[in-house]
């Protein structure tokens, strides 16, 4: 048997071992145990559960795979600790950094359908119900199980090093994640970042995404006077702040939802991004909402509007008391808005662009307050790691994986891409209709089984290809670096 065929057979064996974690019920048992931890980071009373998930569940699991680990307090003082682990075979070998979050949103126990509960796994057909099954306990459980299978198939040596960081505050905005990565930059140094979160483009199609859109939340307020005044006695002579604010918001987007403020728009969609999105259809799952075909930026496909463009949404609008209206002109109107944006947007000056726009249009009463920001990131779709990941997944599944230059939503990828300076590859194991963050959250068993194979192929192929890719990227970087001129 030639060496190539032998390697192929050993790879297939590793993938089959990973799938056995599904067939044997081991993955289900692991996930059931992990979902039993009530790790609601939004609930201060569950702080002990956040620590216990790392200390009693994840740390022992990684220790059995040969990882050294430590649990670190959150540098911001939040009750959301971190776990940093490493498995070093040889410092000279390439290193991969992975990530997971063990916290979940609130369980909303009373809102789950009869027969279901957030803190236990209930299997109904292909659906595995439970809080965190999709986000993110199911996803990091798959990755750990696949890594264990590859370790077993390779006789205990991977041929590369693995580092892992777990956080317990992702659902409250990842407080302290950037700070701890900055503090632990040397301990977390790696050649590539590979992790799983978010949804595939559909349950049937494996997906890779390379970053995420950024997000800026901002409040708009029109505060005109003290107290409300009778609409019959004063209507027609007092400005209504709700009307003023409605017109101000309408000046930011046209009637079909396209952004009209130049400073809030991104650069044109690149050819590389268009090619990556050309065969991806948005909203293919049965439970997906019906798309409004005429809504959004003209000249773009629905997928390009979500993945490759900026969108401005009104998340909330309030004036007076909507639940019990009275015959009065309200004194104040407020709206919470959000700009989702892609790489290339002038995100650092969003507040200035809004203020200047409102001033130009005479809306001097509108006050702008930026409340939350998350940076946009995107690995170059032509980076060697991207082609490698797509080939690995296609080789495992006999499917053409979808490539999203960035996720439509937001994950803390900027910490790994910018603070740690890593090329970032995300391979999600959920799907769009998983009810993430809602009652009846679930993971698809069929996706879990396929994902075990996908990740086993990824972990295996790193041992075969990581050194070559690292060397190629280094050579390319050195070749493109500017050289000092020599003056005779």
């Amino acid at each position: 048997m030639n060496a190539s065929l032998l390697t192929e057979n050993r790879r297939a064996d590793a993938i089959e071992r990973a799938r056995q974690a599904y067939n044997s019920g081991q993955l289900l048992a692991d996930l059931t145990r992990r979902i039993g931890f009530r790790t609601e980071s939004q609930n201060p009373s569950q702080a002990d559960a956040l620590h216990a998930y790392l200390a009693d569940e994840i740390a022992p699991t990684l220790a059995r795979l040969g990882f050294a680990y430590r649990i670190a307090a959150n540098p911001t003082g939040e009750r959301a600790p971190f776990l940093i682990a490493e498995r070093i075979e040889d410092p000279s070998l390439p290193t991969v950094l992975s990530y997971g979050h063990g916290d979940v949103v609130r369980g909303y126990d009373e809102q789950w359908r009869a027969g279901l509960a957030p803190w236990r796994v209930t299997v109904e057909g292909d659906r595995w119900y439970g809080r965190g099954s999709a986000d993110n306990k199911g996803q990091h459980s798959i990755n750990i199980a696949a890594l264990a299978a590859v370790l077993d198939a390779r006789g205990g040596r991977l041929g590369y090093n693995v580092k892992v960081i777990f956080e317990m505050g992702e659902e409250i905005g990842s407080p302290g994640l950037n700070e701890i990565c900055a503090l632990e930059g040397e301990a977390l140094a790696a050649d590539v970042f590979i992790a799983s979160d978010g949804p595939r483009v559909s349950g049937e199609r494996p997906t890779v995404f390379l970053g995420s859109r950024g997000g800026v939340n901002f409040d708009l307020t029109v505060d005109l006077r003290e107290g409300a005044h009778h609409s019959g006695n004063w209507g027609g002579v007092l400005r209504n702040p709700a009307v003023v604010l409605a017109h101000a918001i309408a000046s930011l987007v046209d009637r079909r939802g396209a952004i009209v403020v130049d400073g809030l728009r991104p650069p044109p969609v690149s050819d590389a991004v268009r090619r990556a999105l050309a065969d991806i259809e948005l909203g293919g799952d049965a439970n997906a909402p019906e798309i409004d075909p005429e809504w959004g930026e003209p000249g773009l496909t629905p997928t390009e509007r979500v993945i490759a463009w900026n969108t401005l949404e009104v998340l909330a609008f309030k004036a007076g008391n909507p639940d019990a209206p009275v015959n009065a002109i309200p004194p104040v109107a407020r709206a919470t808005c959000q700009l989702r944006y892609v790489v290339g947007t002038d995100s650092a000056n969003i507040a200035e662009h809004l203020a200047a726009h409102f001033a130009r249009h005479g809306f001097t009463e509108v006050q702008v307050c930026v409340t939350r920001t998350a940076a946009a990131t995107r690995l170059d779709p032509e980076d060697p790691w991207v082609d490698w990941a797509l080939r690995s997944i296609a080789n495992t599944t006999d499917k053409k994986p979808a490539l999203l230059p960035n996720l439509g939503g937001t994950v803390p990828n900027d910490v790994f891409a910018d603070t740690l300076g890593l090329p970032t590859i995300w391979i999600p194991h959920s799907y769009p209709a998983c009810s993430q963050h809602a009652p009846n959250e679930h993971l698809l068993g069929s996706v879990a089984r396929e994902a075990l194979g996908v990740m086993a192929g990824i972990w295996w192929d790193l041992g075969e290809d990581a050194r070559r890719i690292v060397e190629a990227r280094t050579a390319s970087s050195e070749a493109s670096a500017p050289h000092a001129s020599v003056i005779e």
Side-chain angles (χ1 to χ4, degrees), residues 106-163:
R106 291 181 183 271
Y108 301 113
D109 303 45
E110 70 284 352
Q111 298 181 27
W112 287 57
R113 178 169 57 76
L116 304 180
W119 312 113
R120 70 167 188 262
V121 176
T122 303
V123 179
E124 292 185 357
D126 195 32
R127 295 187 174 191
W128 296 9
Y129 290 95
R131 176 63 81 219
S133 56
D135 185 20
N136 177 258
K137 293 178 180 178
Q139 302 213 37
H140 62 246
S141 293
I142 288 167
N143 291 358
I144 292 171
L147 184 65
V150 172
L151 264 170
D152 191 32
R154 282 194 179 275
R157 287 190 62 82
L158 294 169
Y160 54 92
N161 306 313
V162 182
K163 297 179 180 180

Side-chain angles (χ1 to χ4, degrees), residues 172-402:
I172 54 173
S174 296
L177 180 61
N178 188 63
E179 289 84 351
I180 200 164
C181 285
L183 289 170
E184 300 280 357
E186 184 175 348
L188 297 172
D191 296 294
V192 65
F193 172 90
I194 299 175
S196 302
D197 202 354
R200 295 176 165 195
V201 296
S202 69
E204 295 75 27
R205 190 170 184 190
T207 300
V208 171
F209 66 89
L210 309 178
S212 68
R213 286 201 294 183
V216 176
N217 284 22
F218 56 93
D219 291 340
L220 301 178
T221 303
V222 176
D223 187 348
L224 296 183
R225 60 186 65 89
E226 290 289 334
H229 294 273
H230 193 279
S231 59
N233 297 334
W234 299 99
V237 295
L238 294 182
R239 283 176 298 165
N240 189 310
V243 174
V244 174
L245 185 54
H247 280 275
I249 293 171
S251 75
L252 301 176
V253 294
D254 66 18
R255 65 182 304 274
R256 59 173 288 167
I259 298 170
V260 299
V261 183
D262 287 341
L264 306 185
R265 292 170 62 85
V269 181
S270 70
D271 291 340
V273 171
R274 285 188 181 274
R275 286 194 299 270
L277 300 179
D279 66 342
I280 297 175
E281 181 180 355
L282 189 70
D285 290 296
N287 294 335
E290 184 177 351
I291 290 172
D292 297 315
E294 299 304 317
W295 185 258
E297 182 69 20
L300 302 181
T301 67
T303 302
E304 289 170 345
R305 291 171 187 166
V306 172
I307 303 299
W309 201 250
N310 293 1
T311 57
L312 194 154
E313 305 294 346
V314 179
L315 305 182
F317 190 117
K318 184 177 180 179
N321 186 350
D323 296 323
V326 296
N327 294 321
I329 301 167
V332 180
R334 294 187 178 90
T336 296
C337 304
Q338 181 183 73
L339 180 74
R340 295 275 188 178
Y341 68 93
V342 297
V343 170
T345 303
D346 185 17
S347 58
N349 296 302
I350 295 299
E352 288 77 4
H353 288 305
L354 288 167
H357 170 84
F358 289 139
R360 284 195 302 273
H361 288 77
F363 294 113
T364 56
E365 312 94 331
V366 179
Q367 304 167 34
V368 180
C369 178
V370 173
T371 58
R372 182 179 176 184
T373 62
T377 53
R378 177 191 294 158
L379 178 64
D380 183 351
E382 297 180 348
D383 189 280
W385 282 114
V386 179
D387 181 66
W388 169 83
L390 296 174
R391 287 177 180 272
S392 174
I393 295 170
N395 189 21
T396 300
T397 63
D398 291 325
K399 297 179 180 179
K400 180 185 179 183

Side-chain angles (χ1 to χ4, degrees), residues 403-422:
L403 174 61
L404 298 180
N406 51 261
L407 192 66
T410 302
V411 294
N413 193 65
D414 58 312
V415 175
F416 310 113
D418 297 337
T419 302
L420 294 179
L422 300 178

Side-chain angles (χ1 to χ4, degrees), residues 27-60:
L27 178 66
L28 180 59
D30 290 341
L31 185 57
T32 298
R33 193 174 59 252
R34 290 165 188 165
I35 283 178
F37 288 81
R38 297 178 63 112
T39 52
E40 300 165 296
S41 55
Q42 298 168 330
N43 184 351
S45 68
Q46 296 299 334
D48 289 345
L50 301 182
H51 188 276
Y53 187 76
L54 297 181
D56 301 340
E57 181 59 39
I58 298 302

